[in-house]
């Protein structure tokens, strides 16, 4: 499995650039506006009542689905579905996007105290599960949409389901989920925007290398072979 050593360049026309950031910007604006807006707060109550009346049973899939796209992001290439970037660059974007997301989510949970729908704590805003899921969805989209658009679509479907189950389980308001989705997507886009600035200095790769998955009956491992 070989990769070209041509550096990744973010030469995106300004119109396309703006469109890329439109969706997360709308989600972030909605989430922030809902903090004080009576109409959007009423929508939060409406979604809560609708879900709790129809679906009183708790389904805790969201504890697992938040990580599903991250697992695919790191494993599909090893399974033969070639990613857009080699492993070191993917690790960089994955780590940076999660670091940005976690910092923003934790800061907002501490500075914007909003009670959870079930009354269990005042750290409802924003949804960390949803933010994590949408980081994974955007990572999957960035790496595989040129190969097959359905990888990214599946990632976003799972992330949306994660947000739904956070509301279904009475842990988050709709605005929490919208804000988490916006943070997750935007954090990943920022990580890819930063990639060209770092790859020439920090992410130099050998000219040729391959990743080979193996299983010995007990353990699964991923081996890196470098051709010098």
């Amino acid at each position: 499995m070989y990769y070209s050593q041509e550096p990744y360049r973010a030469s995106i026309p300004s119109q396309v650039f703006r469109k890329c950031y439109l969706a997360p910007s709308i989600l972030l604006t909605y989430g922030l506006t809902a903090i004080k807006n009576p109409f959007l707060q009423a929508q939060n109550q409406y979604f809560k009542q609708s879900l709790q009346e129809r679906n009183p049973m708790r389904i805790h899939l969201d504890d697992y689905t938040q990580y599903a796209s991250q697992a695919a992001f790191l494993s599909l290439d090893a399974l033969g579905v070639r990613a857009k970037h080699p492993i070191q660059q993917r690790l960089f974007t994955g780590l940076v996007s999660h670091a940005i997301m976690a910092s923003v989510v934790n800061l907002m949970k501490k500075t914007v105290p909003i009670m959870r729908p079930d009354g269990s704590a005042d750290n409802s805003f924003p949804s960390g599960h949803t933010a994590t899921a949408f980081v994974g969805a955007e990572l999957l989209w960035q790496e595989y949409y040129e190969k097959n658009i359905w990888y990214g679509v599946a990632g976003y479907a799972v992330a949306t389901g994660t947000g739904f189950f956070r509301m279904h389980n009475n842990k988050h308001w709709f605005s929490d989920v919208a804000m988490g989705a916006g943070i997750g997507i935007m954090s990943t886009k920022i990580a890819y925007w930063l990639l060209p600035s770092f790859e020439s200095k920090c992410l130099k790769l050998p000219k040729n290398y391959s990743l080979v998955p193996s299983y010995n009956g007990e353990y699964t491992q991923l081996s890196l072979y470098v051709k010098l």
Side-chain angles (χ1 to χ4, degrees):
M1 192 179 299
Y2 299 100
Y3 291 89
S4 168
Q5 293 307 296
E6 289 298 321
Y8 171 70
R9 302 297 179 194
S11 56
I12 306 174
S14 59
Q15 185 177 3
V16 176
F17 183 86
R18 288 194 295 269
K19 288 181 178 179
C20 288
Y21 287 85
L22 179 61
S25 297
I26 291 173
L27 291 167
L28 292 170
T29 301
Y30 184 97
L32 291 171
T33 304
I35 296 173
K36 296 293 185 180
N37 187 282
F39 175 77
L40 297 184
Q41 290 176 355
Q43 300 309 302
N44 281 341
Q45 291 290 343
Y46 170 77
F47 283 118
K48 174 189 174 179
Q49 292 172 5
S50 298
L51 288 171
Q52 297 312 304
E53 287 174 0
R54 300 174 186 177
N55 302 291
M57 183 178 179
R58 302 289 177 257
I59 304 174
H60 296 288
L61 288 175
D62 44 318
D63 291 333
Y64 307 99
T65 57
Q66 63 174 321
Y67 302 116
S69 294
Q70 283 91 334
F73 165 72
L74 292 173
S75 63
L76 280 174
D77 190 81
L79 297 174
V81 184
R82 184 172 177 177
K84 185 176 182 178
H85 298 100
I87 187 64
Q88 286 184 327
Q89 293 174 332
R90 277 181 283 142
L91 289 175
F92 171 83
T93 54
L95 290 171
V96 171
S97 57
H98 278 88
I100 295 171
M101 177 273 295
S103 298
V104 174
V105 167
N106 289 323
L107 178 63
M108 297 196 76
K109 281 183 177 292
K110 293 178 180 178
T111 57
V112 188
I114 294 178
M115 189 63 65
R116 291 179 183 269
D118 63 357
S120 61
D122 64 350
N123 62 349
S124 187
F125 185 82
S127 169
H129 281 65
T130 306
T132 301
F134 274 88
V135 164
E138 181 64 17
L139 287 169
L140 200 59
W141 175 267
Q142 291 288 340
E143 290 300 325
Y144 294 102
Y145 78 92
E146 292 180 352
K147 188 75 174 179
N148 190 324
I149 193 173
W150 291 105
Y151 290 114
V153 171
Y156 268 97
V158 172
T160 302
T162 301
F164 171 80
F165 280 114
R166 294 309 285 166
M167 294 188 295
H168 173 279
N169 293 330
N170 208 26
K171 286 296 183 182
H172 283 289
W173 307 101
F174 178 75
S175 57
D176 300 340
V177 169
M179 189 70 184
I183 291 172
I185 298 170
M186 188 67 80
S187 297
T188 308
K189 288 186 178 296
I190 291 172
Y192 275 94
W193 179 72
L194 291 172
L195 178 59
S197 300
F198 285 86
E199 64 176 349
S200 60
K201 296 180 180 179
C202 306
L203 301 176
K204 283 290 186 180
L205 290 167
K207 291 186 176 180
N208 292 309
Y209 76 95
S210 61
L211 291 169
V212 181
S214 60
Y215 179 66
N216 65 3
E218 295 183 9
Y219 304 104
T220 300
Q221 64 180 15
L222 187 63
S223 301
L224 173 67
Y225 294 90
V226 179
K227 183 178 180 181
L228 299 176

